[in-house]
Structure formats: C-alpha cells, structure tokens
Amino acid sequence: MTVITEELKAKAEQIKNEANVLFKDKKFPAAIEKYTEAIEVNPDVASYYTNRAFCHLKLESYGYAIADSDKALVVDPNFTKANYRRASANMALGDFKAALKDLKIVSKRAPADKDAKAKFDECAKIVRRIEFEKAIEHDEVKRSVADSIELDAIKVESSYNGPKINEETKKVDLEFIKGMIKRFKEEKMIHRKYAFMIVLAIREYMLEAPSLIDVKVPKDGKLTVCGDVHGQFYDFINIFETNGYPSEKHAYLFNGDFVDRGSFSVEVILTLFSYKLLYPEQVFLARGNHETDNMNKVYGFEGEVKAKFSDMMFKLFSETFNALPLSHLIENKIFVTHGGLFSRDGVTLDEIRKIDRITQGQPGSDGLMCELLWSDPQPEMGRVPNKRGVGIQFGPDVTKNFLETNGLDMIIRSHEVKEEGYVIEHDGKCVTVFSAPNYCDTVGNKGALINITPDMKLDYVTFSAVPHPSVKPMQYASQFSGLLGM
C-alpha cells in the first residue's frame, strides 16, 4: 500500500488546480485527464472524484458520473457533494427515485439550503406523479388523449392574426408553413387548434408506419441527413435557408432529438411535423432518446409545451413520439438511427422493422429499442457498458458484423456533440452527424449535415450558430437546469 506523503498530497493538489483551470475553460476531456492524474497520485480525496464526475455530467457521460460519485462516497461517506452529483446523473437518466434518495440526504444535511430543498421537492413531486399515473394504468385501460380532443369545439378567436389551416381541406399547405415560420421567428405561437391538428395528423400517420423506414434519394435531387437540433429553432431554420427548404426534389431525414435543451423546441417540432405532412415521401423523422417522457421532464420540453400550450398538448406529443419510427434505410445501403448498435450480434433489419415500438411506448433501459436510441461507438474492439449509463458502446468489429449481416455499406447516427459537427470512424463505416451548433449556447461546436446525391455520394457540410433571442437554454426545465450544471 502506497503511503500518501505530504509531498504527494501537494503534487495532487497542484494537478487538481490545473484541472480546475481546464474545467473553467470548458476543456472537459482534458480536465478529466488531469483529475485522473490527481487521483492516481492521491486517491484519498473525495472532491477529485466529484470534480471528475462534474466533467462527465458536462459530457453527458452519466454512467461515469455515477461511478465517480460512488467512489467519492467510499472515500468519504459524508461527502454531500457526491450525493448531489449522483442525484444529477440519475436525474439526467430519468431515474427519479434514485435521484430522490440522494436529494433527501443533501436536503437533510443542509436544511438551510433553499435551492437543495426546492430540487428535492420538485423531484418528489415527479416521483409521486409517475406512481399515480402507473396506478391509474393498472386500474383502467389507458385511453388515448387523442380520443378526448374535439377539434370542432376549439374556436379560433377573431383576434388571432397568425396563419390558418384551411377549414375545408384541413390540410397543411406551403403558405401555412411559411406563415408559421415567420410567426415563430417573431417569437409568436400559432393557435392551439392548428397545433392540435398538426400533431394529431402526424400521430395518425406514424401509427401505420413500420419501425424501419425505406428511403429513396430523389432523382435529379438530393437527400439531406441532419442530426440532433435540440430546440435550437434559429439554427434549425438556418439549415433550410443555407442548404435549401424541403421540396419534392430535396428530401430531409432528421435523425432524432428535435426537442429538449433548446427553448424553442415547440417551434422546431411543429415545423418538422408540418413539413412531414406537406411532403410525406420527402421528409423523414426518427425518434431520438429525447423524444421520451423522462428526458422531456428533465430537459425542458414538457415545461415548454405546458407554458406555450397545455398539459393535454404535452400528452399528445408524448403519444406521438411513441409512434415515431426508430430507424431508416437509405437505398438499401445506409442504415440510419439515432444512437447505435446492439448488445448482441445477428440483429437483422427485419427484426428492427418489426419492433413493436407503439405497444412498448417508452424505450426502457435495455433491449433493441433502447440500444437504437442510446448506444455510442467506441474506437476499441468489442462492447462495453455505455459511459452514459444506458445502452452500450460498440467497436469497429461490431459495426462490421452488423453491416455484413445485413448487406449494408455504412451507418449514420447522431446522439453525440462533435467539435466539427461530424466524425467518421470505424474505418469509414460509422458516421456521427450532429446539427446543433454551439450546443446549449456554451459548447462552441459547429453543426453539420450530410447531403446525399442519387449516385450515393456523401457531401459533409458544416455551419456555425446564428443569433437568437435572449432566451437561455432549458428555460422551461424548472429546478433541474442548475442540478445538471446548466
């Protein structure tokens, strides 16, 4: 056993201070390396682990953050910050019961801390509500909220001066979409009747779709694949303004995580849904891990929908997200899904196509649906548990096996912020594309998209963030933005 001398303690402190500077400069991977170096010199300081856990939280590596918090509590069982960090990670994963246990400890040890008490109360409220909803589900057959919406009973006030959906056709047209985008840019909302009409129509359409959708590149046109946009409406619209709006010759595939974090998620999702209705064969939408109830509770979309519309509207969005397809197949050659691959070999496209996503509803913490939404690639061979705490990390050999099993050329996925907006790995067979530049107004990354021509050539385009109104990310995330380091 190594004796930790005063000299070693001083050396570890010096390294920790260097890590703190890197953290302050938002160089989180480099900070993690330095905190790890400090821990190797002196493993008996709980704060080194919680500092590293905070970096992992910033990088959305929630599984690693929990592991570091656990280590800190082994070193010092009374180190309250470790409970706080662990609560943050579990909250980020939607494990509210586990978070509540740690927040109860934090609140008990610091009874005068109003912020800690507020977070505890908010988390307790969510746990009670989830338990109540589960109890209701057991007592009665769950009725769709869509069945309780009477569109004809919703009147459009004469004072409403925004775009309107034609009362006779009841269909979205290009004029309506253009008017809606213009209104959204002015920070105004469309009438709730039209929002209900859009979401109800998408829900009905998606309920009939398989879990894996076949996609063709338009002849004499192109297909654009975009990654996460995360409620950054002004950056999202900038994609159309610089790369071209959807049309019969310009198809788009948005690969999940349309909502959360950014505070204009409602504007993003209503625009995407409207374009899907206008161009059903040219606009494709895949579910991401943030089109789920637990994520929406934590990262702002639920609060945003309730603030801009109502609780009923959020429930309708939730049902509609459950119906979104999980993956797309471009010209039988490129597999596109939000997260990644699986904890076992041999998964076929037919298996993916037949996933009963609608009955399952939420993706859970294991199984094919969960892994499609949550998994990440890694440079090392094989598989390991995901740093996020959900899904797996898969190596080049796993990618190669999946592609060979299904006769495919490559995988396009999203789910991870990248400095240049995209990364090509696994011998060119696995591409990550992320389309939210300067993610959360703090990361400083570029966004990217991929244009695919009929001859299946890929052109990677990067872009920077554009100005937006002074509304902070996670504006609607209640008590939890502070808990998650926002």
Side-chain angles (χ1 to χ4, degrees), residues 122-360:
E122 185 75 14
C123 189
K125 187 167 70 175
I126 289 174
V127 170
R128 286 195 301 270
R129 192 176 80 192
I130 291 171
E131 289 176 348
F132 176 71
E133 287 170 354
K134 282 183 180 176
I136 290 175
E137 281 182 32
H138 288 303
D139 291 343
E140 59 183 45
V141 177
K142 191 174 181 183
R143 183 170 176 240
S144 168
V145 69
D147 297 334
S148 63
I149 298 168
E150 297 181 18
L151 285 174
D152 291 339
I154 303 174
K155 301 301 178 187
V156 179
E157 299 82 4
S158 58
S159 58
Y160 174 71
N161 61 357
K164 298 179 180 180
I165 293 176
N166 188 297
E167 287 292 337
E168 292 182 10
T169 65
K170 299 189 185 305
K171 290 186 176 180
V172 167
D173 57 25
L174 188 56
E175 182 183 359
F176 173 81
I177 294 178
K178 286 180 177 178
M180 180 176 66
I181 291 172
K182 181 177 182 293
R183 192 168 176 84
F184 287 164
K185 286 181 177 179
E186 296 168 349
E187 295 184 78
K188 297 175 183 176
M189 195 47 55
I190 60 170
H191 195 278
R192 64 190 179 96
K193 179 171 185 173
Y194 304 132
F196 273 126
M197 289 174 74
I198 292 165
V199 185
L200 283 167
I202 286 291
R203 176 182 174 275
E204 186 176 352
Y205 181 93
M206 294 298 187
L207 284 172
E208 302 301 317
S211 290
L212 173 64
I213 304 290
D214 292 297
V215 177
K216 299 290 185 186
V217 179
K219 293 178 181 178
D220 303 320
K222 64 181 176 181
L223 166 68
T224 299
V225 180
C226 296
D228 309 37
V229 292
H230 275 301
Q232 296 182 196
F233 177 74
Y234 296 85
D235 295 313
F236 159 72
I237 287 297
N238 184 53
I239 292 172
F240 293 152
E241 291 179 346
T242 57
N243 191 62
Y245 280 83
S247 69
E248 290 182 354
K249 289 192 174 184
H250 190 168
Y252 272 88
L253 194 172
F254 282 86
N255 196 29
D257 281 13
F258 323 120
V259 303
D260 277 341
R261 292 196 178 270
S263 296
F264 302 95
S265 293
V266 167
E267 289 85 342
V268 168
I269 196 64
L270 287 176
T271 304
L272 283 172
F273 280 1
S274 296
Y275 270 120
K276 177 64 180 175
L277 293 172
L278 185 62
Y279 299 117
E281 300 302 318
Q282 288 82 27
V283 173
F284 302 92
L285 307 174
R287 190 178 193 178
N289 66 301
H290 275 269
E291 280 72 54
T292 57
D293 287 352
N294 280 354
M295 295 295 101
N296 295 161
K297 279 181 174 65
V298 175
Y299 290 98
F301 184 62
E302 180 176 331
E304 182 182 342
V305 175
K306 289 178 178 179
K308 293 177 179 177
F309 288 110
S310 64
D311 180 57
M312 180 178 282
M313 184 71 79
F314 175 72
K315 288 176 179 175
L316 181 61
F317 270 118
S318 173
E319 285 188 12
T320 305
F321 288 165
N322 289 348
L324 290 175
L326 305 176
S327 306
H328 292 80
L329 181 61
I330 301 173
E331 299 286 0
N332 294 311
K333 290 297 181 184
I334 301 175
F335 179 72
V336 186
T337 198
H338 180 72
L341 297 181
F342 312 100
S343 53
R344 63 176 171 88
D345 288 334
V347 175
T348 65
L349 296 178
D350 195 46
E351 275 186 86
I352 297 167
R353 202 181 302 275
K354 291 178 179 177
I355 293 172
D356 189 359
R357 68 192 190 281
I358 294 164
T359 299
Q360 185 173 337

Side-chain angles (χ1 to χ4, degrees), residues 23-186:
F23 181 90
K24 188 177 179 181
D25 291 340
K26 299 176 184 174
K27 296 176 180 176
F28 304 121
I32 287 171
E33 289 182 11
K34 279 294 178 183
Y35 287 128
T36 301
E37 195 179 328
I39 289 166
E40 288 169 351
V41 174
N42 183 4
D44 298 334
V45 182
S47 64
Y48 296 172
Y49 297 97
T50 55
N51 286 2
R52 191 169 67 179
F54 201 14
C55 292
H56 287 311
L57 282 170
K58 291 288 190 180
L59 295 173
E60 301 182 15
S61 301
Y62 305 122
Y64 288 180
I66 290 169
D68 269 343
S69 301
D70 291 343
K71 290 171 185 173
L73 288 168
V74 170
V75 172
D76 182 355
N78 296 311
F79 195 62
T80 306
K81 188 172 283 187
N83 298 99
Y84 192 81
R85 294 279 184 258
R86 191 166 64 185
S88 303
N90 278 312
M91 184 69 70
L93 292 170
D95 191 345
F96 301 108
K97 276 192 173 181
L100 187 62
K101 288 179 183 177
D102 277 315
L103 288 173
K104 186 175 183 179
I105 292 169
V106 173
S107 187
K108 191 174 180 180
R109 287 179 184 165
D113 189 332
K114 292 181 180 178
D115 184 57
K117 180 68 165 58
K119 287 177 173 61
F120 170 75
D121 290 344
E122 185 75 14
C123 189
K125 187 167 70 175
I126 289 174
V127 170
R128 286 195 301 270
R129 192 176 80 192
I130 291 171
E131 289 176 348
F132 176 71
E133 287 170 354
K134 282 183 180 176
I136 290 175
E137 281 182 32
H138 288 303
D139 291 343
E140 59 183 45
V141 177
K142 191 174 181 183
R143 183 170 176 240
S144 168
V145 69
D147 297 334
S148 63
I149 298 168
E150 297 181 18
L151 285 174
D152 291 339
I154 303 174
K155 301 301 178 187
V156 179
E157 299 82 4
S158 58
S159 58
Y160 174 71
N161 61 357
K164 298 179 180 180
I165 293 176
N166 188 297
E167 287 292 337
E168 292 182 10
T169 65
K170 299 189 185 305
K171 290 186 176 180
V172 167
D173 57 25
L174 188 56
E175 182 183 359
F176 173 81
I177 294 178
K178 286 180 177 178
M180 180 176 66
I181 291 172
K182 181 177 182 293
R183 192 168 176 84
F184 287 164
K185 286 181 177 179
E186 296 168 349

Side-chain angles (χ1 to χ4, degrees), residues 450-477:
I450 307 171
N451 284 321
I452 304 176
T453 50
D455 58 0
M456 298 299 286
K457 289 183 179 176
L458 278 61
D459 177 33
Y460 298 89
V461 179
T462 63
F463 52 93
S464 299
V466 298
H468 65 76
S470 57
V471 180
K472 67 180 182 180
M474 290 177 62
Q475 175 72 30
Y476 302 94

